[in-house]
Amino acid sequence: MKQFKELINKTNENRLKNYYNLSQLADITGLKIRALKYRMLVVKEKYKDVPNLLKKVGREWRLHYTLVDEFLPKYNTGTKTIYNHNWQTFTTWNPKNNYTIEYHQQLLNEIKDRLPNNTIAYTIEKDKRGVNHVHMVSDATKETMNEIVEGTLGQYLDLAFDCRIQTNTLNNKYSVIEYIKKASQDGGVL
């Protein structure tokens, strides 16, 4: 177990050095400081031998951004944030040819119309080729999202040749939401 923690620490040495304290996590997670302190008891034991992820500076704990998911609520809280929403899937589609932002927005609106009881957060951005593509998170299941996205895009594109679609379940909500929030051509919540 000690060798495993040393390997994790060495791996995390080169990651972005972005740390939070518990009061910053309160804004992100929607939890009260007291609840975060209880979670901290478990987290500090779990990561005690991994100083690149968790360290104490004076009287304050500094938590690496990859640990934020450890503090997200397990149940619905009264305080809603984009981070503690019940996101389940991450979907990307990348067409072979370039289409306008308005075209992708229309596809997103059609997908949302087919998922009236679900929420979607998205970003439209350009890849290295200069082609617009979409990343989105949703609270729909993987199977439902895959069916709806493929059905909607399949009406306009030959999915075998013209577009790559990928839908996965979420592993790290915080990192995905930060990715969605990064600089983009267009983005929002539907």
Side-chain angles (χ1 to χ4, degrees):
M1 186 63 156
K2 186 177 179 185
Q3 290 175 331
F4 175 72
K5 289 186 178 183
E6 287 173 0
L7 179 63
I8 294 291
N9 194 48
K10 186 155 179 62
T11 303
N12 286 302
E13 225 170 56
N14 299 324
R15 279 190 161 170
L16 176 69
K17 306 289 190 253
N18 189 10
Y19 292 91
Y20 295 101
N21 61 33
L22 289 181
S23 61
Q24 290 169 315
L25 287 181
D27 296 334
I28 293 170
T29 63
L31 293 176
K32 304 286 186 214
I33 293 290
R34 183 178 177 136
L36 293 170
K37 285 181 179 180
Y38 281 119
R39 293 270 180 95
M40 191 64 213
L41 295 172
V42 175
V43 171
K44 75 179 182 184
E45 186 62 32
K46 186 175 178 181
Y47 295 100
K48 68 181 176 187
D49 296 325
V50 190
N52 284 322
L53 293 180
L54 177 69
K55 56 186 164 188
K56 196 162 189 179
V57 178
R59 294 183 54 183
E60 182 178 78
W61 283 103
R62 305 298 291 162
L63 302 122
H64 195 259
Y65 74 94
T66 56
L67 298 181
V68 172
D69 269 18
E70 300 268 356
F71 292 90
L72 289 175
K74 295 176 181 156
Y75 309 103
N76 288 334
T77 64
T79 307
K80 294 291 180 192
T81 71
I82 193 166
Y83 299 102
N84 69 13
H85 186 77
N86 188 27
W87 302 116
Q88 293 187 34
T89 56
F90 180 69
T91 303
T92 298
W93 75 71
N94 197 343
K96 183 176 180 180
N97 299 312
N98 197 16
Y99 296 95
T100 64
I101 292 171
E102 293 78 18
Y103 179 82
H104 287 289
Q105 185 66 51
Q106 179 60 38
L107 291 173
L108 285 160
N109 290 334
E110 289 183 30
I111 290 168
K112 176 59 180 162
D113 288 344
R114 295 176 71 182
L115 294 167
N117 299 323
N118 297 100
T119 304
I120 296 171
Y122 70 92
T123 184
I124 302 171
E125 59 186 25
K126 286 191 182 291
D127 64 13
K128 292 177 185 173
R129 303 173 295 147
V131 174
N132 290 322
H133 63 282
V134 175
H135 300 289
M136 65 180 172
V137 291
S138 174
D139 52 11
T141 64
K142 180 180 176 182
E143 295 76 23
T144 302
M145 267 319 278
N146 216 20
E147 179 183 325
I148 299 295
V149 171
E150 286 182 1
T152 302
L153 271 62
Q155 294 176 33
Y156 307 103
L157 301 169
D158 181 356
L159 297 182
F161 300 105
D162 295 333
C163 189
R164 189 180 80 230
I165 301 170
Q166 185 175 0
T167 301
N168 295 313
T169 55
L170 286 182
N171 294 326
N172 188 325
K173 285 184 192 181
Y174 176 77
S175 293
V176 168
I177 297 303
E178 285 296 304
Y179 186 77
I180 291 285
K181 287 173 45 180
K182 72 180 176 129
S184 64
Q185 303 291 318
D186 186 36
V189 178
L190 299 172

